[in-house]
Amino acid sequence: MKLTKYAHACVALEKDGSRIVLDPGTFTPDAKDAVIGAAAVLITHEHFDHFDDALLAAALDDDSELRVFGPRAVLDKLGDHDGRVRVLAAEDTFSVADFTVAVHGGRHAMIHADISCVDNLGYLIDETLFHPGDSYFVPEVSVDTLLLPTSGPWTKLGEAAEYLREVKPRQVLQIHELMLSDLGQASTRTILAGLTGIEITLLAPGQSIDL
């Protein structure tokens, strides 16, 4: 499986000629390019930096084979599109384009008591890669590669370190990084590696890695 990083929380996964995309949002300038030709798009939650509903509505109209998966808010905003938009919930499992997907989690991490927590799903792909969306949800399964959010109004460095200690992934790829400067990203990686003993890798947009 090959992972290609896009800006912020968006990644594309390719295997055996098929491709799926996770969280193409409005903070991802190349989100449209990522989605074109994809078999499916998985959305963790409804926030605009993870879910560009206008882009996906147009993509569904342009590609009759494209499928979109996510929490209820995704269906509410996109409509059914002849059953190609599917609502997921924690503990669901399914296969799409030769990938297996197990759904975990449930709610977005708290930003503030005055801001409601929306539904948030984490996706374990091929029992290997875990995208938690905007949460520090710990799946009760082994995770080889963790996509770790490192910036945002809800993130905390100390909680991120404890999250890594609980999940114990073999490797960590940094996502959700756009609210940190280059210095902040480097500092975050250094501190987390020092606290956990796990190297934190940041891929540039467009860069790929084999998992």
Side-chain angles (χ1 to χ4, degrees), residues 32 34 66 69 81 90 93 97 111-114 127 167 210:
K32 182 176 180 179
L66 178 65
F69 301 83
H81 283 269
T93 59
I111 300 172
H112 187 275
D114 292 346
E127 301 181 340
V167 177
D210 290 325

Side-chain angles (χ1 to χ4, degrees), residues 156-208:
K156 294 181 180 179
L157 194 59
E159 290 184 7
E162 292 305 312
Y163 182 52
L164 293 184
R165 289 175 175 179
E166 288 190 65
V167 177
K168 298 181 180 68
R170 180 182 63 84
Q171 65 177 345
V172 176
L173 306 181
Q174 187 173 341
I175 61 167
H176 213 278
E177 75 286 350
L178 285 187
M179 292 184 182
L180 290 176
S181 66
D182 290 344
L183 177 61
Q185 292 173 23
S187 176
T188 295
R189 293 198 303 276
T190 299
I191 293 171
L192 288 176
L195 289 171
T196 66
I198 303 172
E199 181 179 354
I200 315 296
T201 300
L202 175 62
L203 302 176
Q207 189 174 357
S208 300

Side-chain angles (χ1 to χ4, degrees), residues 67-78:
R67 288 175 284 173
V68 177
F69 301 83
R72 169 63 60 178
V74 171
L75 176 65
D76 292 342
K77 291 187 177 183
L78 293 179

Side-chain angles (χ1 to χ4, degrees), residues 83-204:
R84 291 185 292 127
V85 179
R86 176 177 164 186
V87 175
L88 299 175
E91 299 186 9
D92 284 345
T93 59
F94 64 100
S95 296
V96 60
D98 297 322
F99 294 88
T100 62
V101 182
V103 185
H104 297 267
R107 303 295 284 176
H108 192 286
M110 178 177 286
I111 300 172
H112 187 275
D114 292 346
I115 299 176
S116 62
C117 291
V118 300
D119 290 339
N120 180 95
L121 304 176
Y123 297 115
L124 182 67
I125 311 297
D126 282 356
E127 301 181 340
T128 297
L129 172 82
F130 187 60
H131 190 315
D134 278 6
S135 77
Y136 293 132
F137 183 85
V138 179
E140 295 183 358
V141 293
S142 176
V143 173
D144 180 80
T145 301
L146 175 67
L147 304 183
L148 177 70
T150 55
S151 77
W154 61 274
T155 59
K156 294 181 180 179
L157 194 59
E159 290 184 7
E162 292 305 312
Y163 182 52
L164 293 184
R165 289 175 175 179
E166 288 190 65
V167 177
K168 298 181 180 68
R170 180 182 63 84
Q171 65 177 345
V172 176
L173 306 181
Q174 187 173 341
I175 61 167
H176 213 278
E177 75 286 350
L178 285 187
M179 292 184 182
L180 290 176
S181 66
D182 290 344
L183 177 61
Q185 292 173 23
S187 176
T188 295
R189 293 198 303 276
T190 299
I191 293 171
L192 288 176
L195 289 171
T196 66
I198 303 172
E199 181 179 354
I200 315 296
T201 300
L202 175 62
L203 302 176

